[in-house]
Amino acid sequence: MINRIKEIYAYREMIFSLVKRDLKGRYKGSALGFLWTFLNPLFQLAVYTMVFSTIMRSGIEDYYLFLFVALIPWIFFSTSLTGGAGCVMTQQDMVKKIYFPREVLPISYVTSQFVNMLLSFIVIFAVLIISQYTLNPVAILCLPIIMVVEFILALGFTMIMSAITVYIRDAEYILGIIAMAWQFLTPIMYSLDQVPENIRWIFALNPMMYIITAYRDILYYGVVPKLETLISAVFIGIVLLSIGWITFHRLQKHFVEEL
């Protein structure tokens, strides 16, 4: 495994190139181009503010921020999962013609989505400051940890699904349905306190619950996430990446034949 990591590191320029190409091509041909990276979350914020502050009153103070600080990280995760499932398929010509560590493809795709999330966080911080939210410096120090853990988690799932999709093409479409259900089973649009205690054990099995809870603690409540939340998030992230790495490594041996 160490040799494989060294090999992937040797292809780091290829990863950077794929990430750069994806970011440039995302809004290619549009009039506003890269500005959509910032405009998309702003438009979403405007819609949620109108709907949940004036139409569907949730009873949660500044609900639009309560939702927004959790929604942006979720969009990164779900996009990595659903879009990343086909990352090997979309590059099948390259997979067939040249040799490179196939792990480069899911790594570059998830990294591209991660960069996009980081840029969206500029909007989150701007809105928090304009809304006169007090940012806790100690809590903010935990933010990079949660971001890295979410990246690891997203990469683990993406590796699994991108490898499986090569063999089972319907997996990419099934995953869209799973992602939609997963969003509603993650405390994004509601608080975990609203979940009946007798079914909270189900939510405890959801790795994204710990990630979203940590983001909300840091940005909305302005507190340091509980140690058990951080430990759970780190542990689950490492386990999923290990499973994803092993799964991808075993299945990638026959990618060329299947493609």
Side-chain angles (χ1 to χ4, degrees), residues 120-135:
S120 297
F121 260 81
I122 296 174
V123 178
I124 289 180
F125 280 111
V127 172
L128 287 170
I129 293 170
I130 292 171
S131 301
Q132 297 182 341
Y133 262 66
T134 301
L135 297 174

Side-chain angles (χ1 to χ4, degrees), residues 64-254:
Y64 66 97
L65 283 178
F66 176 87
L67 175 62
F68 198 55
V69 299
L71 186 64
I72 295 299
W74 172 259
I75 290 174
F76 157 64
F77 178 77
S78 63
T79 304
S80 296
L81 196 58
T82 55
C87 67
V88 176
M89 297 292 298
T90 55
Q91 302 292 343
Q92 57 180 294
D93 290 339
M94 188 165 62
V95 172
K96 291 177 182 178
K97 293 177 181 178
I98 63 174
Y99 171 79
F100 62 93
R102 308 313 188 198
E103 291 89 344
V104 162
L105 297 176
I107 290 173
S108 61
Y109 187 87
V110 174
T111 301
S112 172
Q113 303 307 314
F114 185 71
V115 171
N116 196 61
M117 183 186 76
L118 292 180
L119 294 172
S120 297
F121 260 81
I122 296 174
V123 178
I124 289 180
F125 280 111
V127 172
L128 287 170
I129 293 170
I130 292 171
S131 301
Q132 297 182 341
Y133 262 66
T134 301
L135 297 174
N136 183 342
V138 179
I140 293 296
L141 290 176
C142 297
L143 189 58
I145 299 174
I146 296 304
M147 287 180 168
V148 170
V149 172
E150 187 182 13
F151 176 88
I152 291 172
L153 186 67
L155 181 57
F157 274 113
T158 301
M159 280 188 159
I160 294 172
M161 295 313 304
S162 62
I164 291 176
T165 302
V166 174
Y167 296 86
I168 307 173
R169 307 298 167 86
D170 289 341
E172 190 174 358
Y173 304 103
I174 296 172
L175 197 56
I177 300 172
I178 293 174
M180 181 180 66
W182 198 342
Q183 179 176 356
F184 285 101
L185 292 174
T186 304
I188 298 169
M189 294 175 284
Y190 53 87
S191 170
L192 186 60
D193 296 334
Q194 295 175 279
V195 178
E197 289 190 13
N198 61 325
I199 62 170
R200 285 189 187 178
W201 66 271
I202 299 176
F203 285 74
L205 300 175
N206 179 0
M208 280 304 292
M209 184 200 75
Y210 303 99
I211 301 293
I212 295 300
T213 299
Y215 275 114
R216 189 167 277 148
D217 284 343
I218 295 168
L219 297 170
Y220 180 78
Y221 294 110
V223 299
V224 176
K226 293 180 181 179
L227 184 60
E228 62 186 62
T229 301
L230 290 173
I231 292 175
S232 299
V234 171
F235 175 76
I236 293 172
I238 293 173
V239 169
L240 258 299
L241 179 59
S242 300
I243 294 173
W245 191 286
I246 293 170
T247 303
F248 190 94
H249 181 68
R250 289 184 177 179
L251 295 180
Q252 62 93 26
K253 296 176 182 178
H254 301 288

Side-chain angles (χ1 to χ4, degrees), residues 5-35:
I5 293 173
K6 289 180 178 179
E7 187 179 15
I8 292 171
Y9 180 75
Y11 280 81
R12 62 189 180 278
E13 292 298 330
M14 184 178 183
I15 295 175
F16 294 149
S17 177
L18 289 171
V19 171
K20 187 177 179 181
R21 187 179 69 179
D22 182 71
L23 291 172
K24 281 187 174 182
R26 183 166 298 169
Y27 302 113
K28 186 178 180 181
S30 66
L32 296 177
F34 202 66
L35 281 175

